[in-house]
Amino acid sequence: MEWTGLNELRDSYLKFFESKGCLRKKSYSLVPQNDNSLLLIVAGMAPLKPYFTGQEVPPRARMTTCQKCIRTGDIENVGKTARHGTYFEMLGNFSFGDYFKDEAIAWAWEYVTQVLKLPEDRLYISVYEEDDEAEKIWHEKVGVPMDHIVRMGKEDNFWEAGTDGPCGPCSEIYFDRGEKYGCGKPDCKVGCDCDRYMEFWNLVFTQFERHEDGTYTPLAQKNIDTGMGLERLAALMQDVNSIFDVDTVKAIRDHICKIAGCTYGEEYKKDVSVRVITDHIRAVTFLASDGVLPSNEGAGYVMRRLVRRAVRHGKLLGIEGMFLKDLVKTVVDCNKCEYNELEEKYDYIVKVLTNEEMNFNRTIDRGMKLLEDLIADMQASGKTVLDGEDCFKLSDTYGFPLDLTREILEEKGFTADEEGYEKCMEVQRTTAREARGGSKYMGADETVFHRIDKEFASEFLGYETLSSDGKIDFLANDDELITRAEAGQTAYIVSAATPFYAESGGQVGDTGIITTDTGKAEVTDTQKAVAGKIAHTVKITEGYIEQGQAAHFEVDAKRRMAIARNHTAAHLLQAALRNVLGDHVHQKGQLVDADRVRFDFSHFEAITPEQLAQIEALVNEKIMDCIPVTTQVLPIAEAEKLGAMALFGEKYGETVRVVSVSDFSLEFCGGTHLTNSSQAGLFKILSESSIASGVRRIEAVTGTNVLGLINELEDRMNASAKLLKLNDPKLLTDRITSLLEENKELGKSADALKAEIANSMFADILERCREVKGVKVISAMLSNVGAAMYDKFGSRIKEREEPVVMLIAGTADEKPKFFCACSKAAVDKGVHAGKLVKEISAFTGGKGGGRPDQAMAGIGDPAMIDEALAKTDEVLEGFIK
């Protein structure tokens, strides 16, 4: 065996299986497509599930990939050992009802012995204890000695994904790395927990169907699914201790050590931090390149957690300032030979990670302040355990992992309620699972359309025509395929060809009419069903419709045109955004219907009014230039060379449709469009807003919807002018300016009057003050006092030199409040307005708090105000030193 670099290993594996007739595919996105069971891709076979389940026909019956993967189930151990990591690449070769055990085993042996040149005497094989067939192939056909073949039980060598569905035995290949990696025990062998016998390739033979009663029957179509960790293979070939010592990963590790000014291998704690950052920067760089943005849910939450763990460990290493952006360059340089998108999206990736690092640096200070306050409260109350809810809040809101909270608490002699924290985490996990929705085997939602032959697919005719003649090939309701639907019933129609566009890429589905000799159906929606089928949702309005009938399909042309205006405008908008704001702008989602365009995009700050006007003007300029809108179908490599923009994470075939508006806009797109930009008429932005961290949204209208907007605004102007008794709406601005000035003067008069009233009331209630342990106390319910008076009372109290505390219940507002203010002398004696008002409000079922000198709280039950105020002296005594 020869030392081989990680990138060279990847290429040699894929080329080898290409030579065996496998279709070589680039890694799919880390974000699963149409799979509710996964947040992120966790294995090489995960993106290929539709081919294994029969939902879709694979592009070839045998394939090979090197798939990007992220697993976070053991994230707390990442860094603590050299074994654990979140990001890795998985080499795989797959057969969908084509080759089986003979070929899979023979080719695996050929690759490891003839390409990798691993010594045969150091290779060991494990097989499922009941799989005589696999053992026979390994021994008799491949020639592996029996003393190098080990039979193992179901736990180790049988793969199944649940209580039912396809499953089968597996066979694993091990390499004996030598005694230096062993545990030294006399019984050390394959299966030992030490690092001597490394399992590096798993061959899964999917040959059975498991039933819910626990029985197994043979599958008609047998599949092969193999997986081999690329980094693990590289560690083996380079004879290094762990994945962190592999050439491409070590380059990142060494860069971190250089920034931190430390040497790897000298101090365990620092090694932990270096490993955490090394692993996490790889993961978040690839996540960003696949369009994931840090957020508080789903894949975005995973990314946020990884970024924040990396930043925290940077602080533990003593790294000052922002550092993630420097590491991105090393990650890109080490991986761009296979993942060229990293280089293309380099600026965008840096912007995403820098923005999140900056936000966390701000957040962590607030989190530390909260934790310090919680520790102070524990010290004051004699508690020794921090509540699980508080631990979870620190983690969920401020990005403090439980281990960080635990470390800080231990330094102060406290512990964390980890059981309570886990309960909060489980609630969050349950919510996330419910948000993803239920799923059947391997994440495939079972629908009535699965009962149609997977080879049957619908051809879309709607690029060229809005009407066509065809046939009702299948008719269904929600539960089953049917042969007839009567007037008043809702059903689904599937045909071999249709001019109706099925909802996709943010463009809504077409509506229209389907007619037969015996009936008429209104198409209310069109959706993509499983394996390329197009399903028309219909309501039978006349007569009846039967399966097999000849039919005429007619799309609502006026609605389709309105949708096309908005879709082409969305392309122009994205180009304008990139032109004005920068190339980091990428589509994060869109909705294109007949009424408007809603476009979500990556950008990390509010857009100024000037920029928004510039964007709108640029789109309208391209509309007025009457530019032809062209479409062409190209091989994906050729489209990429042209510079056509693709959607993050979208799964594309070997050929793609490219929509161009001159050289201003060039995008991969399967939607329907105008033939000339001028058909959009006009473009008007309605709103611009933030919808998530790093994601903004623009809503806009085109064509006749702009005219509708103008008419609506004109009606409002006329109505406003009428209210202000103006004959000419053009005078509105002057009249409004005049009214604002009048209102400003009235406000000044009102403030002066309030101050006078406050002075008078303050003098009156001051006469009723009492003394508690040397502190003057004023407490009262004031029915004619509301929020507008609180600051005036507060400033009067805080300017007094003697220790004074005021606690009032103001009930003049719709929502009554407790207000508390303390003079500096009172604060010096231990009084805390925030804590005092919090305790008093709790007697009424209210909540609140604030600063030591001024605070406010809600009143739960107003009937309890007198009883709560009566507790003032008793509560206050506990604070006064």
Side-chain angles (χ1 to χ4, degrees), residues 573-609:
L573 173 59
Q574 177 162 224
L577 285 164
R578 288 170 65 85
N579 191 289
V580 173
L581 302 178
D583 289 344
H584 64 277
V585 169
H586 284 276
Q587 179 181 326
K588 302 301 295 179
Q590 72 172 9
L591 173 64
V592 177
D593 60 21
D595 300 320
R596 61 179 173 153
V597 53
R598 188 183 76 200
F599 190 79
D600 301 340
F601 57 98
S602 51
H603 187 57
F604 304 95
E605 58 192 6
I607 300 175
T608 66

Side-chain angles (χ1 to χ4, degrees), residues 52-234:
F52 283 111
T53 59
Q55 294 177 63
E56 296 180 18
V57 178
R60 197 179 296 175
R62 50 180 73 174
M63 290 175 61
T64 185
T65 64
C66 181
Q67 176 62 43
K68 300 174 290 188
C69 302
I70 285 184
R71 294 179 186 172
T72 57
D74 215 5
I75 192 172
E76 298 296 342
N77 284 319
V78 173
K80 291 179 182 176
T81 75
R83 285 184 174 189
H84 292 89
T86 60
Y87 175 82
F88 63 98
E89 295 179 58
M90 186 172 282
L91 298 163
N93 59 287
F94 311 94
S95 165
F96 313 107
D98 187 23
Y99 65 84
F100 199 51
K101 286 185 187 177
D102 279 300
E103 295 88 346
I105 290 172
W107 294 342
W109 189 254
E110 181 184 346
Y111 180 70
V112 298
T113 59
Q114 296 184 32
V115 179
L116 299 182
K117 294 182 170 51
L118 294 178
E120 293 184 19
D121 62 340
R122 294 172 68 180
L123 290 169
Y124 288 79
I125 308 298
S126 71
V127 297
Y128 177 50
E129 59 191 359
E130 296 178 15
D131 194 355
D132 298 334
E133 181 186 15
E135 183 184 80
K136 189 174 181 180
I137 295 169
W138 280 114
H139 178 58
E140 296 184 7
K141 295 188 178 181
V142 173
V144 178
M146 286 303 296
D147 61 359
H148 278 233
I149 300 175
V150 180
R151 289 196 181 225
M152 290 189 176
K154 211 168 190 180
E155 185 178 336
D156 296 297
N157 279 73
F158 197 92
W159 179 87
E160 48 194 347
T163 57
D164 62 341
C167 58
C170 57
S171 187
E172 296 175 319
I173 307 176
Y174 291 77
F175 183 73
D176 179 2
R177 306 193 74 198
E179 291 182 5
K180 66 177 180 178
Y181 291 100
C183 57
K185 296 176 184 176
D187 60 344
C188 182
K189 60 183 178 181
V190 170
C192 183
D193 287 337
C194 72
D195 293 331
R196 175 170 177 173
Y197 294 94
M198 177 191 281
E199 180 270 308
F200 65 95
W201 200 350
N202 188 12
L203 317 179
V204 178
F205 313 124
T206 313
Q207 64 187 93
F208 298 115
E209 177 87 22
R210 178 188 165 106
H211 305 284
E212 289 189 1
D213 62 3
T215 60
Y216 298 85
T217 54
L219 277 174
Q221 176 182 300
K222 295 178 172 62
N223 302 318
I224 288 292
D225 161 26
T226 85
M228 174 162 57
L230 176 60
E231 291 85 354
R232 179 175 283 205
L233 177 63

